[in-house]
Amino acid sequence: MTQEELFKKLIAHCKEYGFVFQSSEIYDGLSAVYDYGQNGVELKNNIRQYWWDAMTRLNENIVGLDSAIFMHPDVWVASGHVGAFNDPLIDNKDSKKRYRADVLIEDWMAKQEEKIAKEVTKAQKRFGDSFDEAMFVKTNGRVLEIQAKIDAVRTRMVKALDDSDLPEVKKIIEDCEIVCPISGSRNWTDVRQFNLMFDTKMGSVSDDANTIYLRPETAQGIFVNYLNVQKTGRMKLPFGIAQIGKAFRNEIVARQFIFRMREFEQMEMQFFVRPGEEMKWFEFWKEKRMSWHKAMGLGEEKYRFHEHDKLAHYANAAFDIEFQFPFGFKEVEGIHSRTDFDLGQHQQHSGKKLQYFDPETNENYVPYVVETSIGLDRTFLLLLSSAYNEEKITKEDGSTDERVVLRIPPALAPVKLAVFPLTKKDGLPEKARQIMDDLKIDFKCQYEEKDSIGKRYRRHDAIGTPFCITIDHQSLEDNTVTIRHRDTMEQERVDASRLREIMEEKVSMKNLLRKI
Ligand code: ATP
């Protein structure tokens, strides 16, 4: 199965099993806006809790916040979003499709990198065991030629974007002979800037003075509350404020399912530090965030750091954590050293002092900030795309079957355990209900008595339920039940009185938190 096919299947699976629906589907949907169904919302809540606990419980110096989506319009002037939260866009005149100009160029560079990878594979086949990849890449003429082309284009693009030189961005697209993926033509419009913020009017008078924005990031709510939290929480530097909430961006290229949405959710943490110490904390948070990801056990090779080619105007260092999605390595989280830019700007625009008095040095200063910013929806997609597996299985009678199983880490699975009476009679449902009632306070459980046990297993494999418990006639006699494990499909018989303890050990969020 190609990665593209896998991704299509995953999207269909998300809909069929109540994870993600297109928004307003009965009205033919709203582009790049999605709703989370009965299983999706549970998974999302679990990811949210994993992040929240990792931030606010494991770190005594990080506290939470829930600021409003609407903020004073001057916040977005101070933050630079009104003036500079732009993407360069370009239209193809034949297909009438709109693209982000920098993304077109990045895709072109990725294609060149694929060409290098092909040369490497070819050479590997030719040379066999004696093949030295590092040496080949350093010396092969064809590879060096392609790499030089990529490097030159990257340098030009970074400079053009830095200088906001839009004609040059277009020239790069022309020079690279980039064609529209839909029409195949090179008939492009000029490159223009497009502001990504949604705006609306507050109150009854509709004039420009009342324009307010739907926040494009949650971070600014943290900055403007920094002193409130610092003072009321008696926080000492270094300390952090964590927030989870909706953000809105009028994305030009909204595709790839929930990877790029117009309404999405961010989990952000701003860590306030002494000026001069930001690089130490930047390194600290880079490693910490990576270990949060790795603790989920999806495969270390699926992650990598990517250093920004072009630093945002507020940053003095920036790395992304990228994950290998079915459509390639893409950003899931950013770690940015934002200097004192944001607090400095708010101090200037609001006229209010946002300084910190450092009792150790007896100085007043505006703290520096290191931020970690991760998309909740992208993490959801990351989990599902690595969890989705199609497997051939051999049944007890020797016949073969197929199953789709979501290997979601048990602590994050939407349903932790399913409880099945073997049949609908002989007092088995009553016994199963009793067990379910006992466990449902601690774990998200689901009771099912329809269809054969095999079919019930399949349904729960498909939503990632790690454990299924079956109550049979023997259960009535000796109070034992079978636990069936999702990943190995093995079954074991245990005393029902031990279920809570066994489950607690297997599905507790503590398992993840301890690994960070
Ligand atoms: P990209 O380069 O993909 O547009 P970004 O660099 O603009 O992302 P940030 O502003 O750093 O993203 O936002 C932090 C995180 O928020 C991203 O790493 C991503 O996980 C998430 N995010 C940003 N934009 C979207 C979106 N449109 N839909 C879903 N998640 C998003």
Side-chain angles (χ1 to χ4, degrees):
M1 182 168 41
T2 65
Q3 290 295 299
E4 209 168 303
E5 284 164 351
L6 167 81
F7 193 48
K8 277 199 185 133
K9 282 193 171 179
L10 182 68
I11 296 172
H13 190 86
C14 278
K15 179 171 176 201
E16 192 180 344
Y17 287 92
F19 282 92
V20 182
F21 306 125
Q22 173 85 60
S23 158
S24 323
E25 196 186 334
I26 58 168
Y27 291 95
D28 295 333
L30 184 64
S31 167
V33 186
Y34 292 91
D35 299 337
Y36 287 84
Q38 67 279 15
N39 289 315
V41 67
E42 295 288 344
L43 176 59
K44 207 173 165 201
N45 282 343
N46 293 340
I47 302 170
R48 201 185 266 123
Q49 194 199 334
Y50 174 41
W51 185 88
W52 189 257
D53 287 353
M55 283 296 175
T56 64
R57 284 201 192 177
L58 298 190
N59 300 284
E60 288 166 37
N61 57 356
I62 296 183
V63 293
L65 179 77
D66 184 17
S67 69
I69 289 172
F70 290 151
M71 301 182 75
H72 193 287
D74 288 352
V75 166
W76 305 109
V77 177
S79 69
H81 284 81
V82 170
F85 192 51
N86 298 319
D87 275 346
L89 67 85
I90 189 165
D91 292 11
N92 183 269
K93 291 184 197 159
D94 298 319
S95 67
K96 309 268 183 283
K97 285 279 170 204
R98 179 161 291 176
Y99 299 92
R100 248 171 73 177
D102 55 331
V103 171
L104 280 180
I105 301 172
E106 272 164 13
D107 286 349
W108 178 88
M109 291 195 285
K111 273 199 199 118
Q112 305 306 307
E113 271 159 14
E114 277 166 29
K115 282 187 190 164
I116 296 183
K118 271 195 194 136
E119 292 292 328
V120 170
T121 318
K122 262 200 310 201
Q124 218 157 17
K125 278 202 192 123
R126 210 166 47 228
F127 295 112
D129 286 346
S130 62
F131 181 62
D132 178 347
E133 183 176 333
M135 180 62 91
F136 177 78
V137 173
K138 258 194 249 150
T139 53
N140 178 273
R142 172 95 183 109
V143 170
L144 289 176
E145 187 190 317
I146 302 173
Q147 190 60 51
K149 253 185 6 192
I150 300 175
D151 293 343
V153 166
R154 178 173 290 119
T155 313
R156 270 179 79 188
M157 180 182 80
V158 170
K159 179 155 182 357
L161 293 175
D162 265 343
D163 300 347
S164 292
D165 184 351
L166 302 181
E168 168 67 358
V169 177
K170 180 170 182 191
K171 184 92 184 16
I172 300 172
I173 291 176
E174 285 168 347
D175 291 351
C176 292
E177 302 184 345
I178 294 173
V179 297
C180 164
I182 308 281
S183 68
S185 89
R186 282 191 247 148
N187 195 6
W188 297 110
T189 62
D190 285 342
V191 178
R192 281 164 296 146
Q193 293 286 19
F194 174 79
N195 194 290
L196 299 182
M197 282 200 293
F198 284 100
D199 59 31
T200 184
K201 303 282 177 216
M202 188 171 236
S204 54
V205 192
S206 152
D207 65 30
D208 274 355
N210 297 320
T211 296
I212 53 166
Y213 300 98
L214 269 69
R215 67 180 177 201
E217 62 175 28
T218 57
Q220 299 303 325
I222 296 181
F223 291 126
V224 300
N225 277 295
Y226 138 79
L227 260 195
N228 285 337
V229 174
Q230 190 269 319
K231 291 220 159 108
T232 56
R234 290 177 294 122
M235 308 301 288
K236 291 216 162 53
L237 248 51
F239 75 92
I241 304 178
Q243 164 153 254
I244 301 177
K246 290 269 185 171
F248 305 83
R249 295 183 188 178
N250 198 0
E251 299 279 3
I252 304 163
V253 191
R255 57 188 156 125
Q256 289 162 329
F257 193 38
I258 56 172
F259 182 82
R260 192 175 298 289
M261 300 150 92
R262 297 203 163 104
E263 172 179 341
F264 59 102
E265 214 162 336
Q266 287 186 315
M267 307 193 283
E268 296 198 295
M269 193 279 295
Q270 312 290 325
F271 201 68
F272 300 91
V273 304
R274 240 185 226 159
E277 291 187 357
E278 70 275 14
M279 280 308 147
K280 180 179 92 186
W281 289 110
F282 179 70
E283 288 305 321
F284 174 87
W285 282 109
K286 246 177 82 188
E287 296 314 315
K288 265 272 172 249
R289 293 305 306 147
M290 190 58 114
S291 70
W292 181 90
H293 283 276
K294 290 187 174 168
M296 289 192 279
L298 309 177
E300 307 217 338
E301 71 292 348
K302 290 193 178 152
Y303 292 93
R304 71 179 188 196
F305 281 117
H306 170 78
E307 188 172 4
H308 281 204
D309 288 332
K310 172 182 185 281
L311 285 178
H313 56 283
Y314 51 75
N316 67 358
F319 269 78
D320 292 336
I321 294 179
E322 293 187 338
F323 183 80
Q324 194 172 22
F325 286 96
F327 38 86
F329 270 99
K330 295 278 177 220
E331 166 180 349
V332 60
E333 169 156 13
I335 295 121
H336 311 127
S337 172
R338 292 178 79 128
T339 68
D340 58 356
F341 175 81
D342 304 86
L343 290 180
Q345 286 289 105
H346 288 306
Q347 187 166 262
Q348 194 188 331
H349 283 253
S350 68
K352 308 271 166 21
K353 274 217 154 67
L354 294 178
Q355 292 189 335
Y356 173 77
F357 174 72
D358 191 328
E360 280 176 36
T361 59
N362 275 331
E363 279 175 317
N364 277 307
Y365 52 78
V366 176
Y368 270 41
V369 171
V370 174
E371 133 182 296
T372 73
S373 172
I374 177 170
L376 176 50
D377 314 86
R378 275 193 200 173
T379 313
F380 184 104
L381 182 61
L382 162 169
L383 262 168
L384 279 195
S385 55
S386 85
Y388 184 91
N389 271 281
E390 288 178 7
E391 291 176 357
K392 281 219 158 38
I393 50 176
T394 311
K395 294 205 280 197
E396 272 170 20
D397 62 6
S399 61
T400 54
D401 198 359
E402 275 187 10
R403 70 164 182 164
V404 171
V405 55
L406 294 186
R407 293 180 188 276
I408 302 172
L412 301 175
V415 177
K416 301 290 187 273
L417 93 147
V419 180
F420 307 153
L422 183 64
T423 63
K424 281 192 224 171
K425 48 184 200 272
D426 303 334
L428 296 181
E430 289 76 10
K431 175 83 179 160
R433 281 273 175 213
Q434 205 184 359
I435 290 178
M436 162 100 182
D437 286 345
D438 187 35
L439 292 172
K440 71 183 181 192
I441 295 178
D442 291 307
F443 314 104
K444 174 78 187 167
C445 304
Q446 235 171 48
Y447 177 86
E448 286 215 38
E449 56 180 29
K450 275 216 189 83
D451 299 322
S452 69
I453 289 285
K455 276 198 182 145
R456 286 183 253 173
Y457 282 160
R458 291 293 163 279
R459 276 204 293 270
H460 279 276
D461 284 343
I463 63 166
T465 306
F467 302 102
C468 295
I469 292 176
T470 303
I471 286 85
D472 57 15
H473 292 91
Q474 192 182 328
S475 312
L476 298 179
E477 286 163 23
D478 63 6
N479 202 36
T480 61
V481 296
T482 58
I483 302 182
R484 185 261 195 186
H485 296 243
R486 175 194 72 196
D487 296 343
T488 58
M489 293 191 292
E490 272 165 17
Q491 299 184 22
E492 57 173 329
R493 224 181 161 89
V494 302
D495 198 283
S497 64
R498 290 189 50 226
L499 280 174
R500 174 175 286 103
E501 173 201 329
I502 296 172
M503 285 302 130
E504 177 61 31
E505 192 212 307
K506 305 234 188 245
V507 306
S508 167
M509 192 75 81
K510 289 178 209 156
N511 296 337
L512 292 184
L513 294 171
R514 281 204 187 100
K515 281 194 221 152
I516 298 173

